[in-house]
Amino acid sequence: MANFKISNILPDSLVPKDIPKGLILTLIIVIMLMSLSAYRYGNGDTVQGMLHVLENWVLYLVLIPSCTALVSLPIKYRDNSFDVRMAYYLGMFVGLLFMMAKLRYWR
């Protein structure tokens, strides 16, 4: 563990140059950990609980950010300096906010 670098986990091609890699890694870890709260809705069934967790991971780490990046593509068409990866991570942050709002009302 003497040679641990965030660059080994997140390559430079996936991260915009204006955002620290540690911040993005923290965002991903927080979303993954908060998604584990859906496990309790399996009602004792392990497989059902894991399906709920996987559903949250796909929704908040892939679908919401991808749709946000897709909606931002016309901006990229007009301005070549626009970075679509920034929109993707913005969508991931918005997904985190949605998840926090959803957990507020779950009981």
Side-chain angles (χ1 to χ4, degrees):
M1 185 126 184
N3 224 359
F4 175 75
K5 292 183 182 178
I6 295 179
S7 299
N8 296 338
I9 298 172
L10 288 173
D12 291 333
S13 62
L14 295 179
V15 180
K17 62 179 178 168
D18 299 334
I19 299 178
K21 287 184 182 182
L23 188 65
I24 291 176
L25 188 62
T26 304
L27 178 66
I28 292 170
I29 290 171
V30 166
I31 288 174
M32 290 184 80
L33 289 176
M34 285 183 68
S35 294
L36 291 175
S37 67
Y39 184 77
R40 63 183 169 166
Y41 290 103
N43 295 327
D45 186 9
T46 305
V47 175
Q48 191 67 32
M50 285 308 297
L51 286 175
H52 282 291
V53 171
L54 288 174
E55 176 188 6
N56 276 344
W57 284 348
V58 168
L59 183 65
Y60 295 114
L61 290 174
V62 177
L63 288 179
I64 292 176
S66 296
C67 290
T68 305
L70 183 67
V71 168
S72 73
L73 282 178
I75 298 171
K76 177 67 175 175
Y77 180 70
R78 283 192 66 147
D79 182 13
N80 285 333
S81 65
F82 181 75
D83 195 1
V84 179
R85 293 175 295 183
M86 287 273 237
Y88 184 85
Y89 291 116
L90 173 71
M92 199 178 289
F93 181 71
V94 168
L96 175 68
L97 294 178
F98 281 138
M99 186 187 314
M100 288 172 41
K102 182 172 80 170
L103 287 176
R104 180 178 177 189
Y105 295 107
W106 270 8
R107 296 220 165 91

